[in-house]
Amino acid sequence: VTLNSPSEVTATIVSTLKLLTVQSTGGGAGLVVSTPAGINCSGTCTASFPQGTMVTLNHSANSGSVFAGWSGACIGNGACVVTMDAAKAVLVSFVPAPPVLTVQNLGSGTGLVVSNPAGINCGATCSATFTPGATVTLLVDPSGGSTFGGWGGACSGTGACTVSMNAAKTVTATFNPPP
């Protein structure tokens, strides 16, 4: 600029940093970490990135929770890559993991354990997830002349086993060999 007379100059400074906010929702728990570094949190956090930066967000659910998806600047369950051309907000959903019912057959006899609602239909050891709060009834079917010796774990006795799936449960079924 050549100044031949008194002049005024005004400078406008525009930040090239753009704010990324990540917020966890859903009632579960987990961690979100960004590449490049800046986000590393399990609740609500923010970080500033240079304009045009492509930020990749990675998630990991805590024990007892599962990742349920992204919303906001990322949608769905796939990779979350945000181009920082403006301030952005991403919601990550972690939900409580559905409770698992594990059945283990004990004893030297043989038999089958089935559930109502469906999910368990096994002879040796098996597991299935059920809706939180569901009532699951387990029934036995001894085979090859074996007899049913009784339940253990979350059930007892020799009748039908009924469990409320308010948490992970383990049930044993003992099958005795033929007399």
Side-chain angles (χ1 to χ4, degrees), residues 16-21 39 45-49 82 84 86-89:
T16 60
L17 294 177
K18 303 301 176 188
L19 189 64
L20 176 59
T21 301
I39 302 285
C45 59
T46 59
S48 294
F49 295 93
V82 180
M84 297 305 300
K88 303 275 175 101

Side-chain angles (χ1 to χ4, degrees), residues 59-82:
H59 62 82
S60 61
N62 290 359
S63 178
S65 295
V66 294
F67 171 70
W70 303 104
S71 59
C74 288
I75 303 289
N77 294 323
C80 178
V81 179
V82 180

Side-chain angles (χ1 to χ4, degrees), residues 120-137:
I120 303 283
N121 186 347
C122 61
T125 300
C126 63
S127 298
T129 59
F130 291 92
T131 305
T135 298
V136 179
T137 301

Side-chain angles (χ1 to χ4, degrees), residues 133-144:
T135 298
V136 179
T137 301
L138 297 174
L139 302 168
V140 295
D141 182 14
S143 61

Side-chain angles (χ1 to χ4, degrees), residues 11-12 14 26 52 62 67-68 156 163 175:
T12 303
V14 177
N62 290 359
F67 171 70
S156 61
V163 293
F175 290 98

Side-chain angles (χ1 to χ4, degrees), residues 3-152:
L3 297 175
N4 294 331
S5 63
S7 302
E8 273 187 43
V9 175
T10 302
T12 303
I13 300 173
V14 177
S15 173
T16 60
L17 294 177
K18 303 301 176 188
L19 189 64
L20 176 59
T21 301
V22 175
Q23 181 177 1
S24 182
T25 65
L31 178 69
V32 176
V33 177
S34 68
T35 304
I39 302 285
N40 186 345
C41 69
S42 60
T44 299
C45 59
T46 59
S48 294
F49 295 93
Q51 182 167 330
T53 301
M54 291 182 68
V55 178
T56 301
L57 297 175
N58 295 298
H59 62 82
S60 61
N62 290 359
S63 178
S65 295
V66 294
F67 171 70
W70 303 104
S71 59
C74 288
I75 303 289
N77 294 323
C80 178
V81 179
V82 180
T83 301
M84 297 305 300
D85 52 5
K88 303 275 175 101
V90 174
L91 296 174
V92 58
S93 180
F94 295 106
V95 297
V100 176
L101 177 58
T102 301
V103 175
Q104 183 178 30
N105 288 352
L106 302 177
S108 55
T110 58
L112 183 67
V113 177
V114 295
S115 68
N116 183 13
I120 303 283
N121 186 347
C122 61
T125 300
C126 63
S127 298
T129 59
F130 291 92
T131 305
T135 298
V136 179
T137 301
L138 297 174
L139 302 168
V140 295
D141 182 14
S143 61
S146 295
T147 58
F148 180 59
W151 300 106

